[in-house]
């Protein structure tokens, strides 16, 4: 059991070790995704890595890159070593981000596993002591759709920002789809109750979502196409 732990400033890169010599793909799931960062306030970013979307994968040296939104280059670089962390659970990794400037940042997580990576939707950075205005349910759900790894397996063409982050076609396409809210909430909370296999026989994992995350995802996934598209353009 290993957990990557380190502290990074805004725009800092955690340098990864060489990937292991075996194939496959992964799903990266961010836990308790912050809605915003605050200048000068250390904020943990915890995530899991699942091989083939199922088995929690330990012993990696993932890379987290933070950039000012719209910039191609990280501001700083630092190597973070993996270290044992009893009680963290398998496949759990954490870094701490301390923002130094208000605006928005782009965060990319590289799993250190055959090129598997995800770039989150932009995260707001508010000034020190600034107003902590929560995102609306649809926008929060859109943010979580990417950060929890749903976008890795599910195509959603009516949201361009999500569609461009889709890596695989192993789950049902969600473009233009709407579902009974209660059924969808139950599916997200307990995927084992509805064991529909994907295109390659894989089944959806339990991502450990809480009630607020599930509610936001239901709101996002059930939005009419025109509303989702407008949200994607903000």
């Amino acid at each position: 059991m290993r957990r990557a732990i380190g502290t990074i400033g805004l725009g800092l890169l955690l340098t990864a070790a060489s990937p292991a010599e075996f194939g496959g793909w992964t799903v990266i799931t961010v836990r308790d995704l912050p809605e915003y960062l605050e200048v000068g306030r250390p904020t943990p970013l915890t995530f899991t890595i699942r091989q083939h979307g199922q088995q929690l994968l330990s012993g990696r040296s993932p890379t987290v890159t933070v950039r000012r939104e719209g910039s191609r280059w990280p501001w700083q670089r630092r190597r973070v070593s993996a270290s044992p962390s009893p009680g963290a659970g398998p496949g759990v990794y954490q870094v701490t981000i301390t923002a130094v400037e208000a605006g928005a940042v782009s965060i990319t997580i590289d799993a250190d596993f055959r090129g598997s990576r995800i770039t989150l939707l932009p995260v707001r950075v508010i000034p020190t002591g600034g107003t902590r205005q929560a995102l609306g349910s649809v926008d929060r759900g859109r943010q979580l759709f990417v950060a929890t790894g749903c976008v890795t397996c599910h195509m959603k063409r009516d949201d361009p920002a999500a569609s461009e982050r889709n890596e695989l076609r192993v789950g049902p396409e969600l473009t233009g789809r709407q579902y009974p809210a209660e059924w969808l909430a139950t599916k997200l909370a307990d995927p084992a109750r509805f064991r529909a296999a994907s295109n390659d026989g894989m089944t959806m994992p339990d991502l450990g979502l809480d009630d607020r995350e599930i509610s936001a995802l239901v709101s996002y996934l059930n939005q009419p196409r025109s509303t989702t598209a407008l949200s994607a353009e903000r």
Side-chain angles (χ1 to χ4, degrees):
M1 180 189 314
R2 300 178 70 82
R3 182 182 180 187
I5 303 177
T7 302
I8 57 178
L10 186 61
L12 210 61
L13 172 67
L14 310 185
T15 307
S18 298
E21 293 301 320
F22 47 91
W25 51 273
T26 68
V27 173
I28 298 166
T29 298
V30 177
R31 295 180 172 179
D32 302 318
L33 176 71
E35 290 193 27
Y36 57 84
L37 303 175
E38 182 177 342
V39 173
R41 179 182 179 185
T43 302
L45 185 72
T46 304
F47 58 95
T48 59
I49 301 174
R50 283 183 172 83
Q51 184 177 5
H52 298 138
Q54 297 290 330
Q55 181 180 352
L56 287 164
L57 188 62
S58 298
R60 308 313 305 163
S61 295
T63 300
V64 176
T65 306
V66 185
R67 297 180 174 90
R68 182 193 297 111
E69 176 64 8
S71 173
R72 294 181 56 189
W73 307 106
W75 291 354
Q76 301 179 40
R77 301 187 178 203
R78 182 179 302 166
R79 182 179 297 276
V80 172
S81 60
S83 61
S85 183
V92 179
Y93 303 84
Q94 185 182 83
V95 294
T96 299
I97 301 171
T98 303
V100 297
E101 181 180 294
V105 293
S106 173
I107 301 173
T108 298
I109 304 172
D110 188 315
D112 178 33
F113 191 89
R114 288 291 185 180
S116 294
R117 69 185 65 192
I118 188 68
T119 297
L120 309 184
L121 294 175
V123 177
R124 298 173 297 162
V125 181
I126 64 174
T128 303
T131 302
R132 303 179 182 184
Q133 183 175 358
L135 290 173
S137 185
V138 173
D139 285 331
R140 178 60 172 169
R142 179 171 175 259
Q143 197 180 54
L144 291 169
F145 183 75
V146 174
T148 59
C150 301
V151 72
T152 303
C153 299
H154 296 279
M155 173 65 75
K156 190 165 173 52
R157 301 176 196 272
D158 47 4
D159 185 342
S163 181
E164 70 183 12
R165 289 167 167 79
N166 175 253
E167 297 290 334
L168 305 163
R169 302 289 178 85
V170 298
E173 181 163 342
L174 301 179
T175 305
R177 301 289 299 273
Q178 289 184 298
Y179 301 89
E182 184 176 350
W183 178 90
L184 183 55
T186 303
K187 170 70 174 176
L188 292 170
D190 184 11
R193 289 188 59 180
F194 306 97
R195 280 296 185 188
S198 63
N199 296 336
D200 65 353
M202 302 297 294
T203 53
M204 178 175 162
D206 185 346
L207 300 177
L209 302 170
D210 64 30
D211 290 344
R212 291 173 58 188
E213 291 171 329
I214 289 170
S215 178
L217 281 166
V218 169
S219 295
Y220 167 71
L221 291 170
N222 276 341
Q223 282 299 302
R225 177 173 179 171
S226 59
T227 305
T228 302
L230 286 173
S231 178
E233 293 170 1
R234 290 181 183 176

